[in-house]
Amino acid sequence: MEKGRKHEEVEEAHGDYGHVEKEIFMVNGLLSVLGLMLLFLGIQEVSIASLWVITLILSIAAVRELVLERRLTVELLMAIVGFILAYHGIVFEGLIIMLLYSFAETLEAQVEKLALRRLEEAKRLIPKRVRVVRDGSIEEVDASQVKPGDVVLVRKGEAVPVDGVLLDTGVFDLRLITGESEPVTVEGGRAIESGAINVGQPVKVKAVKSPLESTIQRIVSSALELLREKGATQRLIDRLAPYMIVIVIGAFIAAYITLGPEKSVVLLLAGCPSAFIIASSAATSYSIATLATRGIVARGGRSLEAAGKIKAVVLDKTGTITMGTLKPSRVVVLRGAASQDGLLNLVAAAASTSLHPLSIAIARRWRPMGNVEKVEEVPGRGLRAVVSGRTLLLGSERFLEEEVGYRPENPCVDEVPVFAHVDGTTLAICMSEEVDEKTKAAINEMKRMGLNLVLASGDRRNKVEKIARELGIDEYHAELKPEDKLEIVSKVREKYDPVSMIGDGVNDLEALAASDLGVAVGNIDAVRNLADAVLVNGVADAPRLYRMGRSYLAGLKAGLVAATIVKLAVIILGIGGSIPLWLVALLGDDGSTIIGSVAAVAVILLTYRG
C-alpha cells in the first residue's frame, strides 16, 4: 500500500502544472472528436455545444486548482481559449485545438511514465518465488520470506533475489548493476548483489539481507521516491509559471481589444508555460532512471545540477578509493591461544554475512566454516556474531575496547588492521591496500574531465602518500579528524568553487553534508541517507555521475531554448496570419512541449557516455 502511494505521488509530481486528472483530457478528446464528426454532418448546434461543454470542464478544473491549490494553471488559459472561440462561433478551429490539447496532454502523461516503467522493469527482474535450500531439500517460497542466513538456489537465467555471499563460482550478467556488457565470473565466497543474472550453472547464494533491504530493490525504491525532487531550474520555472500566466492573460486582453479574437487567441495558445515545466521534468526523470539502472542513485534534479557544476572532488581513501581491494597479508595473535587453527574459518563465516570491503576480503581469504546463528553489524565499528555457538567480534580496536574492555595494540605497520575476538583469543588481521584497475581508470577519467582531485584521509601520512602517488593525485591530506575533513572541503571550495565529497564512513558525514554534492559509497545507512547521491558499486562509477550531471544541464538548456524558439516563432507567424489557429495550437503549446522534451532527452542521449 505504501509503495503504491509513493508511486502515485511520483506520478503526480511529474504531471502537468495543473495536476489535472488524465481522465479529463480523455473525455475532452472524445467530445472534440464527436463535435468534429457532427460538424461534418452539418449538425453545427451540437458541435458548438460540445465546445462549450469542453470549455466548462476546463473551467471547473481551473477554478478547482485556483481555489483548492491556489494555483494558476494551463487549464485556465485553455478555458479562456474555448470561451472566446465558442462565443465567436469559431467552432472547427476550437474543436481541433481542444482535440490536439487533449491528445498532447494524454501523450505527455505516458511519455513521463517511461522512466518510471524502466525502473519498475528493473525491479521485476527479481523473481517473486525463490528456491531455498533447507535441511538438504529445496523448498519454493515467496521471495519476501527469505531471511538473512537462508541459502537460495539461483538457476540459469534467473536474477539473484537478495544481496548475499556466493557459495559457488558462477558467471553473471551484471549490466543492471554495473553496466558491464560482458558476463563476469564471480568466485565463491565473494559478495553478490541482487539483480545480477545467472548466465551459467545453478549456484547457491547465502542471503545477508532481506529482499527489501537488497541492492536493486533499494535502488529502484529510492529512485522512484527521489523522482519527486526538483532542481533549482525546475523550482524557478514553477515559481515563475503563475506570473507567466498572468502576463499572458494581460497580453491577450490587450491583443483582443486591438487585434480581434482570432489573433489574440494566438498569445494564449503559445504563451502556456507547460512546455518549460515538462521539458525540465523529462530531463530529470530520464537522467535519474538512467543512473539508477547503473547502480547510481541521484537525489533529484538538485543533485544532478550540482553534479554538472562540480569543479573539484575530495576523495576519502579507506573504503572509498581502496574499496574491495584490501587483502589479508598476515595474522598476529595478540592474546589467548597461540594456535589459529579453525578460528580464521569461523571469522570468515562471520565476515561472509557482511558487504563491507574488509569483510569481503577476509571471507575470500579463508574458507567460511560453521553455522552463523546470529549477526549484528555496527556501522563504522564492526560486527557481533554467533557462529556454531561461539561468540565472535570482528572490527576496529575501538570496537573491541567497547565490547570487551581491552584495546589491542596495532601490529600492522603501514597496513589496515582488522581485529577478531573469539573465546578470549584476539587476532590482528593485517590488510594490505591496493587500488584496483577500475578505480584507477575512474581517477584518470575524472582528470580528463578537468576535475581537480584531492585525497583526504584519517590514515597515516606515508600510506596516504603512497596511494596518492600511485593515482597521480598531487594534493593529499593525512591523519585527518572528521572536523579536519570539513575544513578541507571548505578550503577546496574556496580554491576551485563547487566541490564534491566522496566517502563511505560515519567520519565522512560532516564533509558530505558540507560539500555541494555529497556522494556515498558502501552500505552504511547513515551515510547513504545523508548523501546527495549513492554509488552502489563504488568510486569506479563516479565519472558516470559527473558526466550525467553535465549532460543533464546541457539537455535542460537545450529543451528550454528549443521550446522558447518554437513559441516565439508561432506567436510571430500566428499574429501575422501566416499559419492557421489549429497549427498555432499544435506548435505553440503542445508542439513546443514535445519539441522541448525531445531536445532535452536527445542532448542527454548524445552527450552522456555511461
Side-chain angles (χ1 to χ4, degrees), residues 90-105:
I90 309 174
V91 182
F92 176 72
E93 290 82 353
L95 290 172
I96 288 290
I97 288 169
M98 293 305 174
L99 177 61
L100 291 172
Y101 176 64
S102 299
F103 174 75
E105 291 297 329

Side-chain angles (χ1 to χ4, degrees), residues 395-464:
S396 65
E397 60 264 48
R398 185 186 301 177
F399 180 60
L400 259 67
E401 182 180 22
E402 292 172 352
E403 295 294 317
V404 297
Y406 158 63
R407 188 179 183 90
E409 296 180 4
N410 180 12
C412 307
V413 180
D414 295 337
E415 292 179 309
V416 177
V418 179
F419 298 94
H421 184 81
V422 187
D423 295 340
T425 296
T426 304
L427 307 174
I429 303 172
C430 299
M431 314 285 287
S432 59
E433 282 188 311
E434 295 179 358
V435 181
D436 64 21
E437 293 304 317
K438 287 184 180 180
T439 299
K440 290 179 181 178
I443 296 296
N444 290 332
E445 176 66 17
M446 285 191 278
K447 289 179 184 176
R448 286 193 292 270
M449 292 171 66
L451 295 172
N452 300 283
L453 304 183
V454 177
L455 192 61
S457 175
D459 232 333
R460 293 190 192 88
R461 183 175 183 81
N462 58 340
K463 294 168 65 177
V464 177

